[in-house]
Amino acid sequence: MGQEDVGLALRLSLGSGGDHHELRNQGPSSSQASCALLEPSLTLSLPADSCPTAPVVLRTPVVAAVKRELQAEEEDEAGERALYSVASSVAVDDDDGCNSRKKLRLTKDQSALLEDCFKEHSTLNPKQKVALAKQLNLRPRQVEVWFQNRRARTKLKQTEVDCELLKRCCETLTEENRRLHREVQQLRALSHPHPAGCFMAQLPAATLSICPSCERLAGASPATAVAAADRTNNKAAGSGGRPAQHFFSPFAKSAAC
DNA sequence: GACATGTCCGGAGTTACCTCA
DNA sequence: GGTGAGGTAACTCCGGACATG
C-alpha cells in the first residue's frame, strides 16, 4: 500500500454486514485520516502497517455523517430484523457475537420474481429496490446485491458466448483460408505449370521462393524469394535481359512460362 | 467558474457458505 | 462420513458521477 493510499480505505467496522459503510478520504486530504479515532463509539480498521506516523484528526462532518448513518442503520436493522427475520429465509446473525456469514437461500418464488424484474430492467432505482424488497420480504441491500451478482453472471455468460462465437469464427476462417490456398495452388498448377525439369516443381510447397526459370512465386519467405529473384535478375541484367521483377504478379505474364 | 469534499452507485474481484455428486 | 467442485450471497475495494459549500 503506497503512502497516498493511507487512509483511502478507512472503513468503519460495524459488526456484521458491510452495507456500504465506507468512509473514504480521497485525494491529498487522506493524510488527515485518523488511526486513533476520537469517537469512542466508532472503531476503524486499518492495516497495521498503514497507520500514518503523525497524529491526525478525522474531520467532524465525516464523523457526524457516520453517526447519522449509524443511527439510521441501527433503526433500520432493528425494524428490518423484526420484519424479515421470521418471514424470509434470511438467516440473521445469532446473538453469539461472532459475525459469521450465514448463507441466504432464496426461495423459488423469490428467485422467480427477481428474475422477472431483472428481465424488465437490469438495474433498479431506489424506489424499485425498496418496493421489491418489501414484496420479497428481503432487505433492500439483499435485493441490491442480488442484482449486482445477477449482472455479473449475465456478463460472464455473455463473455463465454462471445468467446465461443469467436472461436468458431476463427475455425471457420482458418478452414476457409486453407481452402483458398488449395484453390490457388490448383489454379496455378493448371494455368502455369512449371516447365518440365524445373527444379522448383520438385520443392515442397512450404519452401516458398521465386522460380528462376519461370520467375513464379513457388512459396517462399520474402528474404528467400528476394534473394532468388535478385540472382535471377542479376543474371538477366548482365546478359541484357528484362528489367528486375522481384515477385510474382498474377497480371504480369512470365516470358519464361 | 474552479476546487475540495462528501455521497451514492455500480463493476470487478474475492470470500465464505451451502449443496451435491 | 469426508471431500472437492460448483453455485451464489455477501463483502471489499475502487472509480465515476453528481451535489454541495
Side-chain angles (χ1 to χ4, degrees):
Chain A
M1 185 179 275
Q3 178 80 23
E4 69 276 13
D5 287 332
V6 172
L8 271 178
L10 281 178
R11 215 163 255 282
L12 286 174
S13 76
L14 295 167
S16 64
D19 288 4
H20 276 193
H21 297 292
E22 194 175 0
L23 266 186
R24 276 178 293 154
N25 276 329
Q26 294 169 332
S29 65
S30 62
S31 61
Q32 296 175 351
S34 174
C35 267
L37 191 62
L38 304 179
E39 291 289 318
S41 60
L42 304 176
T43 57
L44 278 177
S45 56
L46 274 176
D49 58 342
S50 69
C51 186
T53 48
V56 285
V57 179
L58 196 65
R59 283 184 301 281
T60 44
V62 177
V63 175
V66 167
K67 283 173 83 174
R68 277 199 307 274
E69 205 178 337
L70 263 175
Q71 200 174 349
E73 179 69 21
E74 276 164 10
E75 288 164 5
D76 282 357
E77 280 291 312
E80 278 171 3
R81 286 183 185 211
L83 247 173
Y84 304 123
S85 61
V86 179
S88 77
S89 55
V90 177
V92 179
D93 280 352
D94 321 312
D95 49 0
D96 57 1
C98 73
N99 50 353
S100 60
R101 278 196 216 171
K102 292 290 167 67
K103 189 82 174 183
L104 158 74
R105 293 306 291 189
L106 295 169
T107 65
K108 279 186 179 177
D109 289 345
Q110 285 173 323
S111 294
L113 188 50
L114 284 164
E115 285 289 347
D116 285 347
C117 290
F118 186 81
K119 273 177 198 163
E120 283 184 32
H121 22 62
S122 61
T123 54
L124 292 175
N125 62 38
K127 275 187 182 175
Q128 290 172 321
K129 185 177 26 176
V130 171
L132 188 55
K134 269 189 181 170
Q135 203 175 343
L136 290 165
N137 255 357
L138 295 172
R139 290 195 294 274
R141 171 69 179 156
Q142 289 177 304
V143 174
E144 184 183 321
V145 166
W146 187 90
F147 268 74
Q148 280 175 1
N149 287 322
R150 186 67 179 77
R151 282 193 294 271
R153 285 196 291 273
T154 302
K155 189 176 181 183
L156 186 66
K157 264 189 183 165
Q158 188 56 51
T159 305
E160 283 170 4
V161 167
D162 289 348
C163 186
E164 195 57 35
L165 210 67
L166 282 171
K167 241 164 89 179
R168 279 215 294 272
C169 188
C170 182
E171 282 167 8
T172 307
L173 285 172
T174 305
E175 186 48 43
E176 174 75 357
N177 191 28
R178 280 202 201 101
R179 191 184 64 75
L180 288 171
H181 265 115
R182 280 198 300 270
E183 207 174 306
V184 166
Q185 279 180 347
Q186 285 168 0
L187 286 171
R188 278 186 187 156
L190 280 175
S191 57
H192 297 287
H194 286 279
C198 169
F199 75 93
M200 293 298 282
Q202 278 87 49
L203 286 178
T207 321
L208 290 166
S209 184
I210 296 288
C211 168
S213 61
C214 65
E215 294 195 357
R216 297 192 55 77
L217 186 66
S221 67
T224 320
V226 168
D230 278 346
R231 279 194 300 275
T232 310
N233 292 327
N234 288 342
K235 218 167 72 179
S239 58
R242 296 182 301 105
Q245 182 187 359
H246 286 188
F247 295 107
F248 165 70
S249 159
F251 306 109
K253 196 172 177 189
S254 165
C257 299

